[in-house]
Amino acid sequence: MVGLSEADVRMCAGFPTATADAGGSQIWTYQRTVQRGNLNVVIPTLAVGAVPTVGGSLNVDPGGYCNTQIRMVGGRVAEVAYAGDNNTQNHRNALCVSTVDGCVAYARQRHQVRTGVISR
């Protein structure tokens, strides 16, 4: 994504959820909340004679959220960072990658069109 113009980012990621001035640059934030299906296992309460009460629940793969933050300097992407509860059990920053993946695919397609690799 580094090097994409502001217009390119708006085309591939949409308009930012929030923006902030940062001393000669701007930070664009794209917020994403994911409500994933989860598994909630409840262990019944069990008390047997002198044995203490045992019970509880287990929540597997709850939802999360991601803030993809893009620093714009001179009208172009200079830096990308992630914030939030965006990890999954198997992947770091997994809830954030869709924004970047969409823009990388967009940039590749535009490059192929400009270089004549594919035609419109």
Side-chain angles (χ1 to χ4, degrees):
M1 279 188 70
V2 173
L4 289 179
S5 71
E6 290 180 359
D8 288 336
V9 174
R10 285 189 190 107
M11 288 297 294
C12 65
F15 289 87
T17 310
T19 60
D21 289 325
S25 66
Q26 275 198 326
I27 297 175
W28 291 11
T29 300
Y30 290 86
Q31 296 174 339
R32 180 174 183 234
T33 301
V34 177
Q35 299 297 327
R36 296 179 278 195
N38 63 13
L39 174 64
N40 191 21
V41 179
V42 177
I43 302 166
T45 303
L46 187 62
V48 180
V51 177
T53 302
V54 178
S57 66
L58 171 67
N59 204 1
V60 180
D61 210 15
Y65 69 95
C66 169
N67 292 332
T68 302
Q69 299 173 161
I70 301 171
R71 182 184 303 275
M72 296 289 187
V73 177
R76 297 212 170 264
V77 175
E79 180 181 8
V80 178
Y82 304 125
D85 178 15
N86 56 48
N87 296 334
T88 62
Q89 290 177 345
N90 300 323
H91 296 85
R92 185 177 170 167
N93 297 321
L95 301 183
C96 291
V97 298
S98 62
T99 302
V100 173
D101 285 351
C103 286
V104 169
Y106 175 83
R108 283 185 181 144
Q109 181 182 20
R110 284 186 45 92
H111 176 74
Q112 290 173 344
V113 169
R114 277 185 262 141
T115 59
V117 174
I118 61 173
S119 60
R120 288 192 154 182

